[in-house]
Every structure is written in C-alpha cells, then in structure tokens.
C-alpha cells in the first residue's frame, strides 16, 4: 500500500513542469555571474538584514523543527497540529537527502572555486573535503524550502501561505550574498523543496482519514 501511495504522489509531479523548470534554469544560468555580482555589491541595509536573517534560518531549520516536534508532545498538542510539524520536518529531511544526492552527481563548482558558473561534474569533489564542488543545489535553501513548501500546501489562509515562502527566499539571498552558491543553485533548491513537499502532502492525502 505504501508503494502504491508513493507512486500516486510521484505521478502528481508531472513531467512537463519539471522539463520547463530545467530549461528555465539553463537559460537563467547565463546571468548567474552578473546576478551574484549585483547582489554582493549591493550594501543596502534591507538586503543585508534580510540576508543575515536568511542565513540564520537556513542553518537552524531542521534543528528548530525537531525541537518543535518534541515540544508538541510535551505540550500535548492535537494530532492534527502535530502533523503540521512532522510533515514540515519530513519534507525538510527528504529534501536534504535529495540535495545531497544531487550535489555528488552534478559536482558543480562553487563561486569561491573561481571556475565560473558552468563548471560541472568535477570529479575532484569526491576526493577533496573543501566542498568546493558541491554547489548545486543549496542544502540550506532546500531544507527550509521543503518545510515552507509543506506548510504552503497545507495552510488554508492564503496570506500566510505566501508569507511563509519568504523564508527560503531570504536564505537563498543569503547564500548568494555570502558567495556560497550561484543564483540558479538556490532557485533549483526552492523548486526541489516545493516539489518534494507537494509529494509528501499528496502521500498524506492518500492515507485513510487524512485531510485532503
């Protein structure tokens, strides 16, 4: 039954939008260097503050969700409320695992490697521990995007749904501003998190007694 539900969740992720997203990323990568330089040269207070907040959010997403889930038992929250936290945590973990797989498959050079945005499949990434060739996608952005994407799919209030998407965007800004990732790394991370969290939500819906 679980395999059937998983197949249903995967079937919900249509191939056409994925291909369109990949094509858009390929085109957008042409502007990677320019966008990175523009963001890093901007010293506006709002951008700096947003990037700083995004950095902290990205680094503490999973730990925060684990603490919240533990507290949900201590506070004796309702199962429905607890499921929100667990779903966000599960989406974050799954997105993180998928991100790791992509990192060691694509082996894209980070901006700090000074090889440009079109340096892929650097096999030295398997032998070096500097993580210079694990740029695509961003793990920090992906994990917060997975959690935020799940909440986006589950929440009914549209205002909160769109506001919560600012969290992965702020982390994406931070990763580019701190010269850790290319813009397309972060965009792909957001898309990956949204897609996997959607799959988790559809898998939950397929279970008897779960909300649709």
């Amino acid at each position: 039954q679980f395999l059937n539900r998983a197949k249903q969740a995967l079937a919900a992720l249509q191939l056409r939008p994925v291909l369109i997203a990949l094509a858009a990323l390929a085109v957008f990568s042409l502007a990677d260097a320019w966008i990175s330089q523009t963001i890093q040269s901007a010293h506006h207070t709002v951008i700096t503050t947003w990037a700083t907040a995004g950095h902290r959010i990205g680094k503490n997403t999973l730990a925060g969700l684990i603490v919240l889930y533990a507290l949900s038992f201590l506070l004796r929250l309702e199962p429905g409320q607890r499921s929100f936290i667990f779903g966000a945590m599960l989406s974050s973990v799954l997105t993180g695992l998928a991100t790791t797989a992509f990192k060691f498959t694509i082996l894209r050079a980070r901006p700090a490697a000074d090889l440009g945005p079109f340096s892929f499949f650097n096999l030295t990434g398997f032998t070096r521990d500097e993580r210079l060739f694990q740029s695509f996608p961003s793990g920090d952005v992906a994990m917060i995007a997975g959690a935020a994407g799940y909440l986006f799919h589950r929440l009914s209030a549209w205002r909160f749904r769109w506001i919560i998407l600012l969290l992965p965007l702020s982390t994406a800004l931070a990763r580019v501003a701190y010269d850790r990732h290319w813009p397309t790394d972060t965009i792909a991370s957001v898309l990956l998190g949204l897609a996997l969290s959607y799959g988790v939500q559809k898998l939950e819906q397929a279970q008897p007694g779960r909300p649709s």
Side-chain angles (χ1 to χ4, degrees):
Q1 291 181 351
F2 178 80
L3 290 177
N4 289 333
R5 293 169 188 161
K7 289 179 180 178
Q8 292 175 2
L10 290 174
L13 303 176
Q14 299 181 4
L15 183 59
R16 181 178 296 180
V18 174
L19 294 177
I20 293 175
L22 290 175
L25 282 174
V27 174
F28 198 71
S29 64
L30 298 174
D32 260 338
W34 178 80
I35 295 173
S36 294
Q37 185 177 7
T38 301
I39 292 176
Q40 292 162 15
S41 61
H43 300 291
H44 196 280
T45 304
V46 174
I47 295 178
T48 304
T49 303
W50 193 13
T52 302
H55 174 72
R56 293 174 179 172
I57 291 171
K59 290 297 183 184
N60 297 289
T61 295
L62 185 56
L65 288 172
I66 292 174
V67 170
L68 285 176
Y69 190 61
L71 287 175
S72 70
F73 287 94
L74 295 176
L75 298 175
R76 297 181 179 180
L77 297 181
E78 296 293 329
Q81 297 173 322
R82 194 180 302 142
S83 71
F84 267 76
I85 305 174
F86 179 79
M89 184 172 62
L90 178 61
S91 297
S92 182
V93 170
L94 291 178
T95 307
L97 292 174
T99 299
T100 301
F102 277 116
K103 280 180 177 291
F104 287 98
T105 301
I106 306 298
L107 292 170
R108 188 184 195 185
R110 293 181 185 269
D114 292 326
L115 296 175
F118 302 106
S119 179
F120 299 92
F121 308 111
N122 295 278
L123 297 181
T124 51
F126 286 111
T127 57
R128 292 189 179 186
D129 59 0
E130 297 91 345
R131 301 179 64 186
L132 284 177
F133 305 104
Q134 301 173 27
S135 188
F136 184 93
S138 167
D140 289 349
V141 177
M143 294 185 75
I144 181 61
Y150 176 84
L151 296 176
F152 176 83
H153 296 307
R154 284 288 305 270
L155 291 174
S156 56
W158 66 269
R159 291 182 181 87
F160 294 109
R161 293 179 69 188
W162 291 106
I163 290 175
I164 204 163
L165 289 184
L166 292 176
L167 297 177
L169 293 180
S170 64
T171 304
L173 176 65
R175 301 308 283 167
V176 175
Y178 295 158
D179 205 30
R180 296 296 295 162
H181 288 280
W182 300 103
T184 46
D185 296 335
T186 63
I187 294 173
S189 301
V190 172
L191 295 177
L192 180 62
L194 293 177
L196 289 180
S197 61
Y198 180 72
V200 170
Q201 191 247 353
K202 298 302 287 186
L203 184 60
E204 287 183 344
Q205 287 182 358
Q207 297 180 14
R210 294 307 297 265
S212 59

